[in-house]
Amino acid sequence: GKLIGIELCQGAGRMDHSRHEETFESGWSDDLDPADDDEDKRFYSMMEQLGAAHMFEDPREIRDLWARLRKERPELLSNFEEFLLRVSSYVREVNHEKESMEQALKRKETDHDREVRCLYEEMEQQIKAERERLICQEALRRDRSKLLQKELRSKEQELEKILYRQKKLEHQLQSLNSEQLETRVQNERLRHLNENLLEELEKSKWELEVVKGQLQKLQKEAQLEQEQKDRDVYRVSKNMRKEKQSLLRQLELL
């Protein structure tokens, strides 16, 4: 630590002001007096040697503490510089790990982006395939719907024809029923007429039988009368022949 302090003191004169402004321009103002400027050069040279020149955003508090130790407790200055060395080393390691982690994270993000792109492309392919499948399915559904509508219209036409034939048959059946009713009425009337005719026929038969009986009786009576007349004529003729013969004999006798 003491060697670092000596080297810082020896190298402070060799540090130019432009180097100081380039390295710590953001941490210090330009309105410093010459004594402070010389002390700042020593501090900046020490920070450069420790590799801590770019470790702190605002090194003024560290510079004030370093200057105070240098004036009031110079025996602790080497410990403070060693502490700054450890802190700068630790910060560099942390920064290195941070950069490594950032690079790893960047690679991971790149890999993740690549995987996401692959998944996105695969998903797009799946969506495209699903869209094409749905379009094809929709086309098939429309074709089937058209076919079903065509079949439905055909069935409706067949149903209309069947209904027309059914109504026609109903009309024919009603006409037939009317004709059958009229036929039944006519048959009933004819049956009654037939019954009346049968009654009249039976009556006529009976009257005919009566007339036939009377005719037979009259014929028999006429036959008997004729037979009686024939007998009477025969008897009269016989008597007349007898009288004629008697007259002839009488004439012969005369």
Side-chain angles (χ1 to χ4, degrees), residues 24-176:
F24 296 97
E25 183 178 0
S26 62
W28 297 93
S29 61
D30 295 333
D31 53 349
L32 296 174
D33 56 20
D36 290 336
D37 184 63
D38 184 62
E39 189 171 280
D40 288 339
K41 288 180 180 180
R42 292 191 183 94
F43 175 73
Y44 300 146
S45 178
M46 181 271 298
M47 293 292 286
E48 288 288 345
Q49 291 183 14
L50 293 177
H54 303 284
M55 295 296 174
F56 306 98
E57 293 181 359
D58 188 3
R60 283 177 292 186
E61 293 183 358
I62 298 174
R63 187 263 181 196
D64 293 341
L65 181 59
W66 176 81
R68 184 176 178 182
L69 289 174
R70 186 169 177 273
K71 291 178 181 179
E72 298 178 1
R73 301 291 299 274
E75 70 276 8
L76 298 178
L77 186 61
S78 61
N79 293 332
F80 181 68
E81 292 175 354
E82 185 177 358
F83 171 73
L84 290 177
L85 177 62
R86 292 177 180 176
V87 169
S88 62
S89 298
Y90 175 75
V91 171
R92 281 194 299 272
E93 290 177 0
V94 170
N95 289 334
H96 179 70
E97 291 179 359
K98 180 182 177 182
E99 291 177 357
S100 299
M101 291 179 66
E102 287 179 350
Q103 291 178 359
L105 181 60
K106 187 175 181 180
R107 287 194 300 271
K108 187 174 181 180
E109 288 179 353
T110 303
D111 295 338
H112 178 70
D113 291 339
R114 187 183 303 108
E115 291 178 358
V116 169
R117 282 196 301 272
C118 291
L119 290 175
Y120 180 75
E121 291 176 357
E122 183 179 356
M123 186 179 297
E124 281 189 341
Q125 293 295 329
Q126 292 179 357
I127 292 174
K128 183 178 179 181
E130 183 67 16
R131 185 183 297 111
E132 291 177 354
R133 187 186 68 82
L134 290 176
I135 291 173
C136 181
Q137 185 176 359
E138 181 66 18
L140 291 175
R141 188 190 66 79
R142 286 196 299 268
D143 293 340
R144 179 169 178 79
S145 177
K146 290 180 180 179
L147 180 61
L148 290 176
Q149 289 178 358
K150 184 177 179 181
E151 291 181 358
L152 179 61
R153 287 193 296 269
S154 177
K155 295 297 183 182
E156 288 177 349
Q157 292 176 357
E158 291 180 1
L159 180 60
E160 289 178 356
K161 292 179 181 179
I162 292 173
L163 289 175
Y164 174 76
R165 290 199 298 269
Q166 192 264 340
K167 289 181 179 179
K168 186 176 180 180
L169 288 175
E170 282 185 354
H171 180 70
Q172 292 177 354
L173 182 60
Q174 290 177 356
S175 300
L176 182 61

Side-chain angles (χ1 to χ4, degrees), residues 178-191:
S178 299
E179 292 176 358
Q180 288 179 351
L181 179 60
E182 184 178 356
T183 302
R184 285 197 298 270
V185 172
Q186 185 70 19
N187 289 336
E188 187 69 19
R189 187 176 63 81
L190 292 175
R191 188 178 64 80

